[in-house]
Amino acid sequence: MDEKTLHTLEYPKILERLAGYATFSASAQMARNLRPTSRLEEARRLQKITSEARLLLSLNSEISVGGVSDIRPLVERAARHGVLEPAEFLAIKDTLISARNIARSLERKESTFPLLVEITAPLTPPPGLIEAISRVISDRGEILDSASETLARLRREVKVAFDRLMTRLEHMVNDPRIAPMLQDNLITQRNGRYVIPLRAEFKGQVRSIIHDQSSSGATLFVEPLAVVDLNNEWHELQLRVRDEERRILAELSDQVGAHFEALSALTEALARFDFALACARYAEDLRASEPVLVQYRHPARPDHPGSTIRLYQARHPLLDPQTVVPIDVDLDEDTFCVIITGPNTGGKTVTLKTVGLLALMAQSGLHIPARSGSALSVFDNIFADIGDEQSIEQSLSTFSGHIKNISRILRRASTRTLVLFDELGAGTDPQEGAALARAILAYMVEKRIPCLIATHYPELKIFAHNTPGVINASMEFDLNTLRPTYHLTLGLPGRSNALAIASRLGLDPVIIEKARAEINPEELRAENLLNEIHRQRDAARRARERAEKEQREVERLRAELAERLEKIEEERQRLLEKVREEAEQEAESLRREVEEVRRQLMRARQPLEALQPLREKSEALVENARTALISAAPLGETASTPQHPFHAGDKVRVRSLGMQGVITALGEEDAEVQVGNLRVRARLSDLQKPGQKESAETEPPARRTTKGRTTLKAATPAEVSVYYPSPGMEIDLRGQVAEDALDALERYLESAVLAGLPFVRIIHGKGTGKLRQVIRQALDASPHVKSHSPGEEREGGEGVTIARLKVD
């Protein structure tokens, strides 16, 4: 990509913000070095990695590579037989543990995160290396005694030698003959040797070696000859401990260096994984979406390059998302060049930078701050001439600087590049500048170079109107507030607001009328017509916005009402269940009391015939209470209490089937019965308790099959239909290969038809459009589908297909 354009469009600022989301120095550097690719498949792959990372963060927001270090310099030093320090081994160990945890978190998730699993494949640490470091280095960065038997033995000997030395010195400082000669009753250290503070006037009284004296000269720090050998022994053991520790660290360093390639690949994989997470976090904060990257198409017109630019609600990523005004840049199949006109500070330059910067981000694998469904071609290069090109060093004027840059761009531009020119032809005589701008524009149209050009020249408006492939666009201006609105309007040129602004700012009306008289009447009529078009368009847009707002409010109220009704129904069912449980508990208590009375009568040898009516009456009361609870009508329906003895959980016989089952749900006139592995719905009049006598013979049922739904129909009015469970109103096929997606779709459609669903929602995503095309071709050939169409914008647009099914 053109480096000058990258800086012109402020692409490095995007990379610096992206680096701020990295938690690893290597990934932050990777973000700063990111450059757009001109290869379509590579750009799509990078976009897919960012999408997978966003999905991973949505499922596990805590995943991170925090605590890792760039261990490549350490490993490289170890590979050259350098000796690492304990703290450096801890950094390697922490990095390896973090890598292992990430690798484990993505185990068996290749179907969901195939590219992330590929990136993290090298994250498995070399076997035994973490354990080897843990065996030698403690969590505080100290070499453990368990590192070697020799080290443990030497450290024990050092401790014994030290204790002997201290015991001898303490005995001396506490000796009544020596203590009066000491400045203080303490033991200190000088030059690595333990000494005692002897007063200078007693020099020679204690046979010793002088190692130091105080600044005043009043105190001598001496090592008594009696402890010289002990000091020597302690010091020699310390040196042996140091040498053993050095040997252990060197051995462990060689073990690390032996895995140089694996550890370098592991660090690189950590950086790439953290970079993917940084892209995902940046996209979340930008409220960005994955763009659809498309190939250069075969245009319907021979004078079109085949490029695609469709940006919906696009926002400049460096502006405040709370105040930035989104724009739509949707070029149809006949358009590849846009001429943008409008007032100064109206947003023309921001529009050019937004389009260029979003194209760069898309080709870098970054999601763009635009609505889902936005699509872009992958350009071989992007060129921009924006801003003041004046150079004092080269003695170039603003105009000369622009022309030099434009000349460089035109030499390199082609049908597969995107060109952005701001204020084309400005900085010189207006008449000559307009002629030059028109000639440059005609050259780019002839060469079929996709471009966006901002200008003030009215001649270019006429050129755009009369030239195929070129379209006018304008930045809107509010004459009431005398401020730009920053809205981009495609298809209409900008209006000349000079006279209107001068009038509102209080310029003498006589002067304004004289100026108006100098303008060509044809231009005035065209300007008036353009004003009327803008006024009517603004009125239509306001009406549409009001309608959309009212529709959103209706949808909100509908959802709120449905939620409230659902909660009320849940509460009603909860209360009914509570009352039913209480009634059953009371019924059980009543039965126990009756049984207890029966046992007492039997013990008293009293007749039980008088107890039978009481038992029958209690059972009748219990059955009536159950029936009344079960037959309670749902909200919104007329409550009628059917007189039937059934309730959920009863074993019944379905007379028309001649089979027994268990009632799983009850309605007012029918019930759902589990018969073996099937659930059937039958009228209550067709149910019979086991052992109950039939009132009339039931004829064998007649069988009728209609489009997968089996109905058993008897001579009586009772009717039983096999119940097929619903597979749900939608199926998500995103991320599947075409063959697997078609198999899943076929099974789903069969289940949906059997369940009697009128329509289904198939989610395939937008992506490249290949999966969408295959699915819609399959729907065209399916015997179960009546028709299908794309989803509405609020349903997912082109990423969703609504299929209406053939059901009776």
Side-chain angles (χ1 to χ4, degrees):
M1 287 289 165
D2 184 53
E3 286 294 328
K4 182 178 179 61
T5 295
L6 295 181
H7 286 83
T8 298
L9 296 178
E10 300 177 287
Y11 180 74
K13 291 183 179 179
I14 296 291
L15 301 186
E16 197 59 40
R17 291 194 178 187
L18 176 62
Y21 289 87
T23 58
F24 183 26
S25 59
S27 54
Q29 190 59 43
M30 188 177 291
R32 295 185 181 96
N33 294 336
L34 180 65
R35 288 296 181 270
T37 179
S38 58
R39 301 195 302 274
L40 176 62
E41 292 306 319
E42 177 64 14
R44 286 176 174 172
R45 179 178 175 275
L46 295 175
Q47 287 289 340
K48 184 63 177 174
I49 291 174
T50 303
S51 296
E52 287 186 11
R54 291 184 73 175
L55 176 59
L56 178 61
L57 284 177
S58 69
L59 299 176
N60 181 8
S61 60
E62 300 300 322
I63 193 166
S64 170
V65 298
V68 305
S69 306
D70 188 354
I71 61 174
R72 287 174 293 188
L74 304 179
V75 177
E76 184 178 357
R77 176 149 52 93
R80 296 198 305 266
H81 303 292
V83 179
L84 304 182
E85 296 299 324
E88 294 172 331
F89 282 113
L90 281 185
I92 294 174
K93 174 186 169 182
D94 292 341
T95 300
L96 295 182
I97 291 174
S98 180
R100 183 178 63 186
N101 292 339
I102 293 171
R104 288 176 178 175
S105 68
L106 289 173
E107 282 181 350
R108 296 183 297 276
K109 294 182 180 179
E110 188 172 2
S111 60
T112 307
F113 308 106
L115 295 177
L116 289 182
V117 169
E118 179 184 342
I119 287 175
T120 56
L123 289 187
T124 302
L129 187 56
I130 295 176
E131 292 74 14
I133 296 175
S134 299
R135 191 167 51 251
V136 172
I137 310 296
S138 73
D139 292 337
R140 295 192 301 271
E142 300 170 348
I143 301 177
L144 296 169
D145 291 349
S146 59
S148 76
E149 293 182 1
T150 302
L151 180 63
R153 176 178 55 79
L154 288 174
R155 284 180 172 176
R156 288 195 300 270
E157 292 178 1
V158 166
K159 186 177 184 304
V160 170
F162 180 78
D163 291 341
R164 290 168 57 192
L165 174 63
M166 290 297 104
T167 300
R168 186 64 178 272
L169 286 172
E170 287 174 0
H171 177 74
M172 294 184 70
V173 298
N174 292 320
D175 189 331
R177 293 173 302 169
I178 300 176
M181 292 184 275
L182 300 180
Q183 192 73 37
D184 291 299
N185 189 13
L186 59 82
I187 302 169
T188 186
Q189 200 175 31
R190 288 293 186 275
N191 301 323
R193 314 280 291 189
Y194 281 98
V195 296
I196 57 177
L198 182 70
R199 292 161 63 181
E201 60 266 29
F202 296 105
K203 178 181 178 182
Q205 302 269 338
V206 178
R207 299 184 63 191
S208 59
I209 300 172
I210 300 174
H211 286 280
D212 199 3
Q213 71 176 3
S214 65
S215 57
S216 64
T219 303
L220 301 176
F221 296 96
V222 300
E223 178 184 2
L225 293 180
V227 298
V228 169
D229 290 340
L230 294 177
N231 250 326
N232 289 342
E233 181 184 0
W234 174 74
H235 192 64
E236 289 173 4
L237 287 172
Q238 278 190 313
L239 293 178
R240 292 173 63 186
V241 168
R242 184 199 64 184
D243 293 342
E244 179 64 13
E245 289 177 347
R246 190 74 174 174
R247 185 194 66 78
I248 292 170
L249 292 179
E251 186 178 291
L252 189 58
S253 298
D254 289 341
Q255 190 173 349
V256 169
H259 299 289
F260 170 73
E261 293 184 0
L263 294 179
S264 297
L266 181 145
T267 308
E268 180 70 18
L270 276 175
R272 293 175 63 194
F273 180 72
D274 187 55
F275 173 73
L277 295 182
C279 293
R281 295 189 186 100
Y282 186 34
E284 288 294 329
D285 284 355
L286 274 181
R287 292 182 285 115
S289 62
E290 179 183 355
V292 180
L293 299 179
V294 297
Q295 292 180 332
Y296 262 67
R297 64 182 187 276
H298 296 290
R301 299 163 51 101
D303 55 354
H304 192 285
S307 58
T308 298
I309 299 179
R310 289 198 306 271
L311 296 174
Y312 306 118
Q313 298 293 293
R315 294 171 278 112
H316 195 291
L318 297 177
L319 298 181
D320 185 354
Q322 304 300 324
T323 58
V324 64
V325 178
I327 60 172
D328 291 337
V329 183
D330 186 3
L331 305 188
D332 58 32
E333 294 185 354
D334 295 329
T335 306
F336 64 94
C337 180
V338 181
I339 306 299
I340 307 174
T341 52
N344 287 326
T345 70
K348 298 190 300 298
T349 302
V350 172
T351 297
L352 295 181
K353 286 189 174 183
T354 299
V355 175
L357 200 48
L358 265 56
L360 291 174
M361 291 176 66
Q363 293 181 214
S364 302
L366 303 178
H367 287 185
I368 62 175
R371 199 179 68 197
S372 177
S374 297
L376 288 165
S377 294
V378 173
F379 299 100
D380 288 350
N381 216 326
I382 297 174
F383 299 104
D385 178 70
I386 298 173
D388 191 352
E389 293 291 334
Q390 186 170 357
S391 172
I392 297 176
E393 290 183 6
Q394 300 179 16
S395 301
L396 294 177
S397 67
T398 299
F399 176 76
S400 301
H402 279 298
I403 292 302
K404 183 177 180 181
N405 195 32
I406 290 171
S407 299
R408 179 183 68 86
I409 291 172
L410 293 180
R411 285 194 299 269
R412 300 177 60 186
S414 69
T415 58
R416 303 185 69 87
T417 62
L418 176 63
V419 174
L420 308 170
F421 284 156
D422 187 26
E423 300 295 350
L424 183 61
T428 186
D429 177 76
Q431 186 174 358
E432 292 184 353
L436 184 60
R438 180 185 174 109
I440 292 173
L441 179 57
Y443 173 84
M444 289 194 292
V445 172
E446 180 183 354
K447 297 294 184 181
R448 300 182 298 136
I449 300 173
C451 56
L452 279 79
I453 296 173
T455 183
H456 283 290
Y457 293 129
E459 292 85 352
L460 297 190
K461 302 179 187 178
I462 301 172
F463 179 87
H465 180 73
N466 295 328
T467 306
V470 187
I471 190 173
N472 272 305
S474 59
M475 305 305 299
E476 299 179 7
F477 189 85
D478 190 337
L479 289 176
N480 294 320
T481 62
L482 299 181
R483 291 182 179 179
T485 66
Y486 304 108
H487 283 290
L488 177 68
T489 302
L490 290 176
L492 291 176
R495 293 169 288 179
S496 177
N497 299 308
L499 297 182
I501 293 174
S503 177
R504 288 194 175 273
L505 292 178
L507 189 64
D508 192 330
V510 175
I511 297 176
I512 292 176
E513 287 303 320
K514 286 184 178 180
R516 193 182 301 276
E518 295 293 329
I519 301 175
N520 189 321
E522 292 295 328
E523 293 184 6
L524 284 177
R525 281 194 291 272
E527 189 67 25
N528 291 336
L529 180 59
L530 192 57
N531 287 335
E532 178 63 19
I533 293 173
H534 277 277
R535 190 183 66 79
Q536 294 289 350
R537 183 187 176 280
D538 292 342
R541 184 175 63 190
R542 287 193 295 270
R544 186 181 71 250
E545 289 175 351
R546 285 196 300 271
E548 290 177 351
K549 183 178 180 181
E550 291 173 359
Q551 182 180 1
R552 288 193 297 269
E553 182 65 17
V554 168
E555 293 294 334
R556 186 188 66 80
L557 292 175
R558 181 182 298 168
E560 182 180 338
L561 180 59
E563 183 179 358
R564 291 174 61 186
L565 286 175
E566 183 178 352
K567 289 182 179 179
I568 292 172
E569 177 63 18
E570 288 176 356
E571 181 66 15
R572 187 185 73 87
Q573 293 291 349
R574 188 184 65 79
L575 290 174
L576 285 175
E577 181 65 21
K578 181 179 179 181
V579 172
R580 184 187 66 78
E581 291 177 357
E582 291 175 353
E584 288 187 350
Q585 290 173 1
E586 292 178 2
E588 183 63 27
S589 176
L590 180 58
R591 281 196 295 268
R592 286 197 299 268
E593 290 179 7
V594 172
E595 189 63 24
E596 179 63 26
V597 171
R598 187 182 69 79
R599 287 195 295 269
Q600 291 177 3
L601 289 175
M602 289 179 64
R603 285 196 296 268
R605 300 180 183 276
Q606 296 294 323
L608 304 179
E609 289 78 5
L611 191 60
Q612 187 62 27
L614 178 59
R615 178 186 292 176
E616 293 176 355
K617 186 175 181 179
S618 67
E619 291 181 354
L621 288 173
V622 171
E623 197 61 43
N624 288 338
R626 286 178 173 175
T627 302
L629 286 172
I630 293 171
S631 62
L635 291 176
E637 298 181 8
T638 305
S640 60
T641 307
Q643 300 299 320
H644 61 75
F646 306 115
H647 61 277
D650 280 352
K651 292 183 178 180
V652 295
R653 178 174 179 270
V654 183
R655 291 186 293 177
S656 57
L657 289 177
M659 301 174 68
Q660 288 192 359
V662 178
I663 295 177
T664 57
L666 274 170
E668 289 188 15
E669 298 180 355
D670 56 10
E672 185 181 282
V673 183
Q674 184 76 33
V675 179
N677 292 328
L678 293 176
R679 281 187 293 171
V680 300
R681 187 167 292 279
R683 294 185 180 278
L684 296 177
S685 58
D686 193 32
L687 301 182
Q688 173 187 359
K689 285 194 172 183
Q692 181 180 344
K693 203 169 184 181
E694 296 191 26
S695 57
E697 285 295 323
T698 304
E699 295 183 10
R703 183 179 298 271
R704 176 171 60 87
T705 302
T706 305
K707 285 198 180 291
R709 182 180 291 279
T710 304
T711 303
L712 300 173
K713 193 164 186 179
T716 65
E719 185 177 275
V720 181
S721 61
V722 177
Y723 174 76
Y724 291 93
S726 170
M729 295 299 293
E730 68 180 27
I731 181 173
D732 192 343
L733 301 176
R734 289 178 294 182
Q736 298 189 25
V737 297
E739 184 177 351
D740 294 341
L742 291 180
D743 290 342
L745 177 62
E746 183 178 357
R747 293 193 299 271
Y748 172 73
L749 290 176
E750 290 176 354
S751 300
V753 170
L754 289 175
L757 299 181
F759 64 90
V760 294
R761 183 170 179 260
I762 304 164
I763 305 173
H764 43 66
K766 295 175 181 175
T768 62
K770 292 181 180 178
L771 183 59
R772 174 180 60 211
Q773 180 181 359
V774 170
I775 286 175
R776 291 181 176 174
Q777 289 175 351
L779 293 177
D780 289 335
S782 174
H784 304 304
V785 178
K786 184 191 303 181
S787 62
H788 63 84
S789 61
E792 298 180 2
E793 285 301 323
R794 58 187 178 87
E795 295 175 325
E798 287 294 334
V800 170
T801 298
I802 307 299
R804 285 162 284 280
L805 305 180
K806 298 177 182 178
V807 295
D808 289 343

